[in-house]
Amino acid sequence: MVVGLGNPGPDYARTRHNVGQMVIDELADRFGTRLTAHKAGAAVGTAHTAPGGPKLLLAKPASYMNVSGRPVGALARFYSVAPANIIVVHDELDIPFDALKLKIGGSEGGHNGLKSISQVLGTKDYLRVRVGVGRPPGRQPAADFVLRPFSAAERELLPLHLDRAADAVVDLATASLEQAQQKFHPAPTR
């Protein structure tokens, strides 16, 4: 199950906080999947990564970010998906805009959507695609920054960023976490 975090409604659709849902839209477009409303409170659709390949359940919670756990937990129960088979795609302030990181478990880093999911699932041990949105400029509060649209320069690069994050999701579904990390994490600079 691949869950893209965000907030509902057109006011939030193109904000940094909704980058997880943008990745789900990219995956749905890539695989020709139509997302439809599910009683768990999310838009869902299924796709195969390749003929005979792993089946992905793509999900966009219809709830606000801070209560993402309710629909994620309901979908996991409905489809009998164990936390280890859940990939959550979300915005990450501590990663530059043009980068992403993959991990399983660990701290939620102050991300209320992840905290909600961890609480409902009863574990932090689910996969995460942390899509970099960068830090706010100056003294701008982080909450204001993530609820604003991307800058003009970022919007030019956003399709490539979303495409790369979608590729990382597919790699997590078809290979090991370690293999995907080697492919998508930036090489250390010297």
Side-chain angles (χ1 to χ4, degrees):
M1 182 166 79
V2 184
V3 179
L5 298 187
N7 285 313
D11 290 345
Y12 298 106
R14 302 307 296 170
T15 66
R16 291 174 178 86
H17 222 20
N18 276 43
V19 74
Q21 291 195 351
M22 292 177 204
V23 173
I24 296 298
D25 290 338
E26 171 64 28
L27 288 163
D29 288 347
R30 182 180 291 189
F31 295 118
T33 300
R34 194 169 137 253
L35 302 177
T36 58
H38 189 278
K39 66 182 179 180
V44 300
T46 58
H48 286 275
T49 58
K55 181 179 177 180
L56 301 179
L57 174 68
L58 305 177
K60 289 172 41 174
S63 64
Y64 283 93
M65 176 75 77
N66 294 352
V67 290
S68 298
R70 286 191 302 222
V72 171
L75 287 171
R77 286 188 298 279
F78 185 85
Y79 289 101
S80 300
V81 178
N85 292 323
I86 296 173
I87 301 170
V88 176
V89 186
H90 64 91
D91 59 307
E92 181 61 61
L93 288 167
D94 292 327
I95 298 174
F97 168 76
D98 60 350
L100 57 93
K101 296 264 182 150
L102 314 174
K103 75 175 199 169
I104 188 167
S107 169
E108 294 97 350
H111 196 290
N112 290 328
L114 295 177
K115 287 179 184 178
S116 176
I117 292 169
S118 296
Q119 182 179 26
V120 170
L121 294 180
T123 183
K124 296 178 182 186
D125 293 331
Y126 49 89
L127 291 161
R128 302 172 199 178
V129 175
R130 304 163 62 210
V131 182
V133 296
R135 291 307 254 154
R139 295 179 183 255
Q140 183 180 17
D144 291 344
F145 179 70
V146 297
L147 294 177
R148 297 225 162 123
F150 289 97
S151 70
E154 289 169 333
R155 282 193 303 274
E156 283 186 36
L157 298 173
L158 187 59
L160 297 173
H161 198 30
L162 297 175
D163 186 59
R164 189 164 181 264
D167 288 345
V169 168
V170 172
D171 274 32
L172 281 175
T174 58
S176 72
L177 172 62
E178 293 76 20
Q179 289 171 316
Q181 286 173 327
Q182 288 176 359
K183 183 174 178 180
F184 291 97
H185 287 188
T189 56
R190 295 181 185 208

